[in-house]
Amino acid sequence: MVHTTSMRQFTARLRRLFPLRVGALVLLLIALGVVFLWSSKEADFLLYPAGLVAMGLVGACALLVTFGTLALRAEVKKLAAGLPESLETLSATGTGFRFSGLRGWPLLDVSLSWVAPSGIEVGLETIDAQLCEVVTAKERGRYTRVVRRFTVDDVFGLCRVSFDVAWDAALRIAPAAAKQGAELAAGRAQGETLANPAGRAEGDLVEMRQYAHGDSMRHVLWKVYARTRKLLVRMPERALSPGPVSVAFFVAGPDDEASAGAARLYVEAGLLGADLLFSADGVSAPARSARDALEQLVDSKVQRARGGDALDDMASQMDPARLTSCLFFAPPVDGPWREKVVGFVRRHQLDASIIIGVDEGGEAPPPPSRLQSWLFRPDETLDVARPTLGKLRAALEAEGLPVTVLHRGTGQVL
Amino acid sequence: MKDSRAIVFLKGALLCGAVVLYLWSLATPPGLVAAVVGTLGAALVAHRLEDAKLRLLSWVVLGAGLGLTGQLAAGVLSAFGSFLPPWFTLMTADALVLGLTTFGFFLALRLLSSRWHVFSIVELAVVVGAVAHAFADHRHMRIHQPRFLSDWAWSHGIEPEPVLSVLGVTAMAVSALLLLRASRARRLLAMVALFLGGILVLLLGEQPRLDVPKADELGVRSNNSDDDQNKNDDPKNQNKRNKPPEPIAIAVLHDDLPETDVLYFRQAVRSKLVGDRLVEDPSGTFDSDVPTRFPAGSPVQVQTPQVPEFHRKLHTSMFLLVDHAQLFGVGFPEALTPVPNPNPRRFVAAYDVDSQFLIRPIERMLGRGTVPAEWSPAQRAHYTEYPPDPRYAELSERLVRDVDPRFVGDDVVKALAIKQYLEKEGFYSLKDKTLEGSDPVAQFLFGDLHGYCVHFAHAAVFLLRSQGIPARVAIGYGVQTQQRGAGSAVLIFANEAHAWPEMFIEGVGWVTFDIAPERSDEPPSPHVDQDLEAALGELARKPPPDTLEDSTPFVIPWALLGFGSLALVSGALVLAFGVKLVRRFGRGSHRRVYRAVLDALSDVGQPRRYGESREHHAQRLAARAPSFVPLTSAHLALAFGHDDAQARAQVDALARATRQELRRSTPFLLRLAGFFNPVGWWFTR
C-alpha cells in the first residue's frame, strides 16, 4: 500500500513536471502526421506550414513554460512565507505574499494554490505590477507548514508545469462567527437554576434575620432598627451554584465549520464565566474565557473522526452534581457522535439542547425531473448535510434533545 | 474560465466559416444558411450551458440524435412530400439535415471542448481542415489550382505556393483562438506572435516535397503501392482512384518533338541475371552507356553505342519535382550537364540532357544481326543469359518457327514474332503486380499471361535472350504523346513509371522494344492538364534568381527604416502630446476638469490603481493634495446628483487648488518628467 501511494505520488509529481498536456500531445501528433506523412504524399502547401506552425507552437509553449517555471522557482524560493498569524474562514484576506508572476514573459500565465493546508481558495491580485496572494479558507485549523503550488501554463492551454514550495510558518485559521441569533440558543441554555453570572459567587445580601452574637455591625439594617427597634441583619441569599453548573460543548465532525462558527459567536458573546464553561473535542479542561474557547475550537478540527470522545473527560474535570445543563454545538451530519452525546446526556441527566450550524439554508430544492437528471449532474456544491439534516434533527428530538438549526451566514434559525 | 460573449461570437464565426467552406459546393443556399444558423446557435447554446452541471454523454447523444432527426425529417419529407414542389422539398430537406446536423455536432463539440481542452484541438482541426479543403485542388503539384488564387497570384507576379502557405499560417493563427480561454490575457499578442512565428517558419523552412515513388518488387517506381491498388478495388475507395497522379518532373524540349507515340525517359537498365530476375549490373563492366552518376559540377558523358544514322540528337532540360536516386532523360542519354535551378523551392534538381533518339522504325532494320562481332564472349554471355528454364527456349522456338520463310534466321523478325505473341496473348493488368513463388516471370509467361509492364519486359527479354538476341530491361517513364499538349514542355507523372525491353541491333545500337498488350483492364490514362504543364514549363524556363540581369543584391534599407521609424515615433509623440493638451485644458464639464486633475496625477506616477475606488485614491493622496479629497467628493456628487453652476464653480476652484498643492508637494525633477510625459493620460482611470 505504501509502495502504491508513493508510486502514485511520484507519478503525479512527474506529470506535474512534464510540460506537455494531452491537448499538446494530440496537436503535436496531428502536426507530425500532416508534415511528415500527409504533406509529402499530397504536396499540400497549405497544411504543411500550418502543421509546422502547430509544431512550433507546441515547442515554443513547452520551452516558454519550462524556462518560465525555472525563473519563477528561482524567484519564489527567495521569498518569505508572507503569512499573517491568523486567518478567518470565509473571508478573503491578503496574505502579504507577492511575486512578479512572470509579468514580462509572453504568453504565460501563473496561478497559485495551496497544497497544505487544504481547503484554501487562493486568488491573485495585481497590485503595482506584482501578483499578490489573497486566500479564502474554508476550514479552521492550526498549521506549522504551508506548501504552495505554483503553476505556469501558456495562454493556449497546451503546456503546464507545477512545482511546490514549502514554508515553515505558524498559521491559525479561526472559524468565521455566525451572524447574531445565537443568543437565542444561549438564553435557552440558561435555566432558571442558574445564578446570574453578573452576581457575586456567594450570592447577594437580600434576606434578613435577628441579630446574633458575632454578626458584623456592617450587616445590621439600621433603617429597620430606627423604624421598628428590632435589630435585624442582612444575610446572603442562598447561592444555588457557587461552581460551574452549565457547559457548552463543541462536537467535532464532518462539515462542522458552520457549527464551529455558531460556537464562536456563543463564546464571544461574553457568556462564559465561573458557572458557564466551554469545551470542545480534543481537550479535557473546559475553558473559562472566550480566548481559550476559541483556541479549542480551532484545535478541534483534527478530532472530527472522534467527535464526542472528550465528553467524559470534560465531565470528570467537574463536580457531576453541579453539572446540570449542557449546550451542544454539533455537526449537521449524523455519525457516531450522536450516540455519544445522547449517552452522555442520559448518564448525567442533563438539561441539554443542541445547536447545529449550516451554511446552506432554506428548503432543499425539489428533486430533478427525469429529463433534468438525464441531462444534468446533481449539484455537488450543495451542502452535503441538507438531505440528511432533517433525519438527524428528528432522531435527536426523539431522544428528547431540542435542536436548533442556525444558518451561519444570516443568523436565522431554520 | 468562461468565455466572454465577444469571444463566443468570434469562435462561433470561425466555426461558421469552416462550415461554409466545407459546404459551399455541396449545399443549397437554404441549407448553407441553416448550417450557419445551426453552428452559431450551437455555439451560443453551449455557452449558456457551460456553467450547468451537464452529463456530457447525454448531450453528445442529444447532438447525435438531433443530426439523426434531421436526416429522418428530410427522408420523411422526401418520401411523403410529393404534393410539394420539388425545389421546395429539396431545399427544405437540405436545410433540415444541415441545420440540425451542424447544430447537434457543434453543440456536442463545443460542450466537450469547454469541459476538456483536448477537444479544442478537434475544433482547431475542423477549422484548419476546412480551409485546407477549400484549397485542396492545389495538391499534387497542381500549382495552377484553384484557379482564382493562382490567377490572382500570377497576375501580381508571385507564385501561388507562398500565398497558400501564408493562408495556412493565417488559418492556424486564427484558429488558435479556439484554444484560448477568456480569462487568458494577452490574446491579441498571442495571435500576432503565432502569425509572425508562422511567417518566420515559412521563410526559414522548406516547402513540402513529394515522396519518392516507391519501387515495386521488380524495380519499377509508381505512386500507387500495392496496398493502394488493392484498396482501389474496393468501391468505398473510389475517391482514392480519382486521386490525380503526382507530377514528378518536367522536361523542356529544345528541339522539335520527334514523331512518336511514346516518349521513353530511361532511368536505369537491368541486364544481369541473378536467379530468376534481372538486376542492375553492379560491376560497371556492362551498360556503360547508361549514366548512373549525378553531374555534380561537371557534365557526365557516356560512350553511347547508338549509331547516328538511325538517331537524331535531342537536347532537353529536365527539372525534377521529386528526388530520384538516378537521373533520367529522353531516348538514349549520352551527356548530362547540371544547370542552375530556376526555382530551388520547387525543383529538386535541374540538368540538361543530350540524347540520341531513334527515328527509324524497327521494320527498317530487318536483316541486321544482333550480336556485334566486336563484343567479347563475356559481353555476349551477359546480354543473352536467361533462367535455366527450358520452357523459355521451347516457347521462343515455337514462336519463331511460324515466321515467313523469307525471314528465317532474321533476329529482328524473331523479336517481332515474340513481341506479337506477347501483345496478342498478354493481358495488361495492374492487379497482378505481385506474384507468389520464386520465379514471377515464368509464372506470368507460362501462366495466364496477366501482368504489367515489368512482367512483359522481363518475359520479352528472356524470350529474346533464349533466341540469342542481346536484350535488357530498361526502367524509367513512358509518356504518351497523344495525352499531352502542344507545348514544348512535357510533364511526367509518377503513374507513367514504366519498364520496357531493349534489344541490341548491330549497326543501330540499343533499340526500344516495348510490348503493348492488346487487352487491358486499366482505364485509359487521363489527358494531361495542359495548364499545369504550361505553368510548370514556364517556371522551368525562368532564369534562376541569381542570373537575372536586372537583379541586385538585397540591401536592407536602413535609411528608409530609420526615417520611417523616426517619422512614426514623432507622429505618435505629436499625437500623444496633442491628446494630453486637449485633455489638460478641458473646461466646461466637471468630468473634464476632474479628468485633467487625474491626468496631472498620472503624469507624476499617481494614477488610480486597479480596483481602487475614487475615494480611496483621494484618501491615499490626501497628504500631498488635501483639496483632492473634497474635489473627488464634489465630482462624485455632481456625477450622481444634480449639476449646477455653483457646484461646478466649486469643482473648478478645488481643481486649481489641487494642482497648486500637487506642484508644491512634488519634487521639481518629477514635475519636469511629468510635464514631458506624453502618455500619462493613457494610465488615467
Side-chain angles (χ1 to χ4, degrees):
Chain A
M1 181 62 98
V2 174
H3 278 302
T4 312
T5 310
S6 59
M7 181 60 88
R8 201 171 293 157
Q9 286 172 346
F10 179 71
T11 314
R13 193 173 173 204
L14 268 187
R15 205 167 51 228
R16 286 200 301 275
L17 291 175
F18 182 65
L20 299 185
R21 299 177 69 193
V22 180
L25 290 173
V26 171
L27 184 61
L28 195 60
L29 210 62
I30 294 173
L32 285 171
V34 163
V35 170
F36 293 109
L37 297 177
W38 174 264
S39 293
S40 57
K41 205 174 239 179
E42 303 283 322
D44 195 321
F45 287 89
L46 197 145
L47 279 183
Y48 180 78
L52 286 180
V53 170
M55 284 164 62
L57 176 66
V58 174
C61 288
L63 280 177
L64 270 175
V65 166
T66 305
F67 286 111
T69 304
L70 291 174
L72 183 65
R73 189 178 170 82
E75 181 194 349
V76 297
K77 277 277 191 184
K78 295 176 192 163
L79 299 177
L83 288 172
E85 283 182 3
S86 182
L87 291 173
E88 191 169 293
T89 60
L90 303 183
S91 55
T93 312
T95 60
F97 181 76
R98 49 170 56 197
F99 58 106
S100 73
L102 302 176
R103 189 171 173 78
W105 290 68
L107 313 181
L108 290 187
D109 275 345
V110 176
S111 56
L112 178 61
S113 59
W114 281 21
V115 179
S118 58
I120 309 282
E121 279 181 6
V122 183
L124 289 170
E125 282 183 1
T126 305
I127 298 175
D128 292 340
Q130 287 216 306
L131 293 181
C132 301
E133 182 185 57
V134 177
V135 297
T136 309
K138 287 181 180 171
E139 294 186 336
R140 68 194 185 281
R142 194 185 303 279
Y143 308 94
T144 56
R145 181 180 165 86
V146 169
V147 181
R148 289 187 174 101
R149 176 165 295 164
F150 298 85
T151 302
V152 179
D153 58 359
D154 63 280
V155 293
F156 297 104
L158 295 172
C159 300
R160 171 183 293 172
V161 174
S162 299
F163 63 91
D164 297 345
V165 180
W167 283 271
D168 290 326
L171 178 65
R172 165 185 172 277
I173 303 174
K179 293 270 188 298
Q180 302 184 10
E183 289 89 341
L184 177 81
R188 183 177 173 78
Q190 297 172 47
E192 289 180 355
T193 54
L194 288 179
N196 188 336
R200 296 156 67 180
E202 66 273 19
D204 293 324
L205 300 175
V206 291
E207 291 186 0
M208 297 172 289
R209 64 168 169 77
Q210 284 288 335
Y211 175 79
H213 178 72
D215 283 340
S216 170
M217 287 296 110
R218 292 173 60 208
H219 291 157
V220 173
L221 296 166
W222 294 113
K223 287 183 180 176
V224 176
Y225 173 77
R227 283 200 301 270
T228 62
R229 294 292 164 179
K230 288 182 180 175
L231 199 57
L232 299 176
V233 291
R234 194 181 297 278
M235 62 174 288
E237 179 191 28
R238 188 173 65 87
L240 293 173
S241 175
V245 293
S246 183
V247 67
F249 187 86
F250 177 76
V251 183
D255 202 24
D256 63 356
E257 282 301 321
S259 297
R264 179 175 176 180
L265 177 68
Y266 180 84
V267 300
E268 289 183 342
L271 300 174
L272 296 187
D275 54 358
L276 185 58
L277 303 180
F278 181 86
S279 187
D281 268 320
V283 289
S284 52
R288 291 168 188 270
S289 69
R291 188 177 167 184
D292 292 344
L294 187 58
E295 298 309 311
Q296 288 187 6
L297 269 178
V298 170
D299 290 331
S300 65
K301 183 200 166 186
V302 293
Q303 303 295 326
R304 281 176 175 167
R306 299 184 292 277
D309 278 1
L311 279 168
D312 289 327
D313 287 348
M314 178 201 70
S316 67
Q317 297 288 315
M318 56 184 68
D319 183 359
R322 288 178 175 163
L323 184 62
T324 54
S325 69
C326 194
L327 173 66
F328 292 99
F329 292 92
V333 181
D334 201 358
W337 64 266
R338 181 163 63 89
E339 291 299 323
K340 293 171 192 168
V341 168
V342 171
F344 179 78
V345 170
R346 279 187 186 154
R347 276 198 302 281
H348 296 275
Q349 295 182 336
L350 297 173
D351 175 17
S353 61
I354 293 182
I355 292 179
I356 294 176
V358 291
D359 282 331
E360 291 287 337
E363 289 295 316
S369 67
R370 185 167 292 184
L371 180 65
Q372 280 177 325
S373 60
W374 187 72
L375 291 174
F376 300 97
R377 287 180 293 149
D379 190 355
E380 291 163 1
T381 60
L382 289 176
D383 193 339
V384 292
R386 284 174 75 187
T388 58
L389 183 59
K391 287 181 187 170
L392 173 65
R393 185 177 196 161
L396 288 169
E397 285 175 346
E399 299 287 352
L401 297 172
V403 176
T404 304
V405 177
L406 185 70
H407 185 253
R408 174 159 64 161
T410 60
Q412 287 181 338
V413 174
L414 304 176
Chain B
M1 284 185 291
K2 196 173 177 183
D3 285 341
S4 67
R5 188 165 292 179
I7 292 290
V8 170
F9 269 107
L10 266 177
K11 289 184 176 180
L14 270 179
L15 295 175
C16 285
V19 165
V20 169
L21 288 177
Y22 276 124
L23 299 177
W24 184 259
S25 57
L26 301 174
T28 58
L32 203 59
V33 171
V36 169
V37 171
T39 307
L40 201 57
L44 295 177
V45 171
H47 177 62
R48 293 273 300 185
L49 291 172
E50 216 167 291
D51 288 337
K53 305 282 179 186
L54 304 176
R55 289 187 192 278
L56 281 183
L57 185 63
S58 306
W59 286 92
V60 170
V61 170
L62 188 69
L66 280 171
L68 283 175
T69 307
Q71 296 279 358
L72 193 67
V76 169
L77 194 66
S78 303
F80 301 103
S82 55
F83 56 92
L84 296 169
W87 63 267
F88 180 81
T89 309
L90 174 70
M91 291 191 172
T92 311
D94 207 28
L96 273 173
V97 169
L98 293 176
L100 287 174
T101 304
T102 50
F103 181 78
F105 175 74
F106 284 109
L107 178 67
L109 188 59
R110 288 261 65 217
L111 287 174
L112 286 169
S113 68
S114 69
R115 181 75 61 87
W116 293 293
H117 188 257
V118 68
F119 282 94
S120 299
I121 305 295
V122 179
E123 288 186 310
L124 181 144
V126 166
V127 175
V128 177
V131 180
H133 171 78
F135 294 91
D137 288 346
H138 81 279
R139 290 178 192 153
H140 309 287
M141 294 291 174
R142 273 157 178 73
I143 56 168
H144 62 302
Q145 297 284 358
R147 184 65 80 179
F148 69 90
L149 180 86
S150 60
D151 285 352
W152 175 86
W154 274 317
S155 68
H156 287 79
I158 48 178
E159 291 185 31
E161 285 97 328
V163 182
L164 285 165
S165 299
V166 171
L167 265 175
V169 171
T170 311
M172 186 67 205
V174 173
S175 306
L177 176 76
L178 292 161
L179 300 179
L180 292 169
R181 292 288 183 264
S183 66
R184 312 276 185 179
R186 307 183 289 278
R187 250 177 260 116
L188 186 63
L189 174 69
M191 313 297 281
V192 172
L194 188 59
F195 180 74
L196 293 179
I199 297 296
L200 192 66
V201 167
L202 280 187
L203 292 175
L204 299 179
E206 290 189 346
Q207 288 186 349
R209 300 276 189 211
L210 285 171
D211 279 340
V212 182
K214 288 183 199 163
D216 61 24
E217 62 176 301
L218 294 176
V220 169
R221 298 181 186 285
S222 161
N223 65 334
N224 289 328
S225 67
D226 295 337
D227 290 345
D228 286 344
Q229 195 58 42
N230 293 334
K231 282 177 194 166
N232 285 347
D233 296 336
D234 186 349
K236 289 178 186 169
N237 290 306
Q238 282 303 312
N239 58 337
K240 285 185 184 272
R241 186 183 280 273
N242 295 331
K243 179 180 158 184
E246 314 283 2
I248 53 102
I250 183 102
V252 177
L253 304 170
H254 298 293
D255 303 302
D256 290 338
L257 187 66
E259 284 290 326
T260 180
D261 291 339
V262 182
L263 278 175
Y264 293 96
F265 290 82
R266 194 177 67 186
Q267 185 179 16
V269 295
R270 298 183 171 214
S271 61
K272 183 175 176 56
L273 183 72
V274 176
D276 54 17
R277 61 193 67 189
L278 293 168
V279 297
E280 288 181 45
D281 174 40
S283 67
T285 314
F286 308 101
D287 304 326
S288 56
D289 59 316
V290 179
T292 54
R293 171 169 81 78
F294 187 82
S298 58
V300 171
Q301 199 95 29
V302 293
Q303 284 294 328
T304 177
Q306 307 306 113
V307 178
E309 289 80 35
F310 285 84
H311 295 82
R312 205 183 106 187
K313 275 191 177 285
L314 266 186
H315 181 63
T316 52
S317 295
M318 298 295 300
F319 302 91
L320 303 189
L321 294 158
V322 174
D323 275 322
H324 281 71
Q326 211 163 322
L327 301 185
F328 52 93
V330 67
F332 302 94
E334 56 184 4
L336 304 179
T337 310
V339 294
N341 189 339
N343 193 331
R345 287 174 74 86
R346 181 181 309 286
F347 301 118
V348 294
Y351 55 96
D352 277 356
V353 182
D354 290 303
S355 50
Q356 297 284 352
F357 194 88
L358 188 68
I359 52 173
R360 308 261 186 238
I362 195 165
E363 291 78 11
R364 302 282 294 272
M365 300 165 196
L366 293 179
R368 289 179 176 273
T370 52
V371 183
E374 63 270 20
W375 275 18
S376 65
Q379 203 171 1
R380 188 175 301 160
H382 178 79
Y383 287 115
T384 55
E385 188 182 9
Y386 63 98
D389 187 337
R391 290 180 293 176
Y392 287 110
E394 286 169 16
L395 178 60
S396 64
E397 280 300 327
R398 184 164 56 83
L399 295 176
V400 303
R401 199 185 301 146
D402 300 332
V403 298
D404 191 326
R406 290 176 295 167
F407 300 108
V408 170
D410 189 327
D411 283 349
V412 177
V413 173
K414 286 181 188 174
L416 288 171
I418 291 168
K419 176 177 162 70
Q420 188 184 21
Y421 167 75
L422 288 174
E423 287 181 345
K424 195 168 183 182
E425 301 299 328
F427 190 96
Y428 186 85
S429 174
L430 284 170
K431 288 175 187 157
D432 297 323
K433 282 174 79 174
T434 53
L435 291 176
E436 293 178 358
S438 60
D439 191 348
V441 181
Q443 284 186 49
F444 159 74
L445 187 57
F446 306 116
D448 60 359
L449 277 171
H450 275 57
Y452 73 125
C453 59
V454 178
H455 293 119
F456 284 98
H458 278 75
V461 166
F462 290 158
L463 289 174
L464 289 170
R465 286 184 174 194
S466 68
Q467 287 299 311
I469 303 169
R472 65 187 182 185
V473 171
I475 289 169
Y477 297 92
V479 179
Q480 302 278 339
T481 53
Q482 297 96 329
Q483 309 295 338
R484 57 174 298 277
S488 60
V490 177
L491 189 54
I492 305 170
F493 292 93
N495 68 337
E496 291 172 323
H498 191 44
W500 62 91
E502 284 183 351
M503 62 179 285
F504 195 86
I505 298 178
E506 202 174 4
V508 178
W510 289 102
V511 175
T512 301
F513 197 67
D514 197 7
I515 310 293
E518 292 174 3
R519 294 178 295 158
S520 169
D521 61 0
E522 285 300 307
S525 54
H527 275 276
V528 174
D529 190 334
Q530 294 183 17
D531 292 333
L532 177 61
E533 194 172 60
L536 283 171
E538 278 300 308
L539 290 174
R541 282 191 202 91
K542 271 188 186 172
D546 55 349
T547 61
L548 284 172
E549 286 176 7
D550 58 346
S551 67
T552 49
F554 177 71
V555 178
I556 299 173
W558 291 115
L560 182 67
L561 286 176
F563 282 118
S565 307
L566 199 63
L568 272 177
V569 172
S570 307
L573 279 175
V574 168
L575 188 67
F577 275 115
V579 174
K580 179 174 178 167
L581 286 175
V582 168
R583 289 168 61 113
R584 182 60 58 90
F585 298 106
R587 288 287 179 273
S589 159
H590 66 92
R591 292 178 196 278
R592 289 184 191 157
V593 173
Y594 187 68
R595 190 180 66 189
V597 174
L598 290 179
D599 282 358
L601 288 167
S602 297
D603 280 346
V604 294
Q606 296 296 338
R608 188 160 65 95
R609 289 175 185 158
Y610 182 76
E612 190 177 35
S613 67
R614 296 208 181 282
E615 291 90 338
H616 276 110
H617 184 210
Q619 287 298 336
R620 181 161 60 84
L621 298 174
R624 293 182 64 174
S627 300
F628 187 47
V629 179
L631 171 65
T632 302
S633 303
H635 162 69
L636 291 175
L638 281 170
F640 297 115
H642 293 291
D643 194 355
D644 58 57
Q646 191 182 353
R648 264 187 274 129
Q650 188 194 0
V651 165
D652 285 342
L654 285 169
R656 275 194 300 277
T658 304
R659 282 186 180 175
Q660 283 170 1
E661 289 160 3
L662 199 61
R663 262 197 293 279
R664 280 196 294 273
S665 63
T666 307
F668 172 73
L669 282 179
L670 188 57
R671 265 192 292 143
L672 195 66
F675 180 77
F676 287 110
N677 181 0
V679 292
W681 54 270
W682 179 264
F683 300 96
T684 296
R685 293 194 184 96

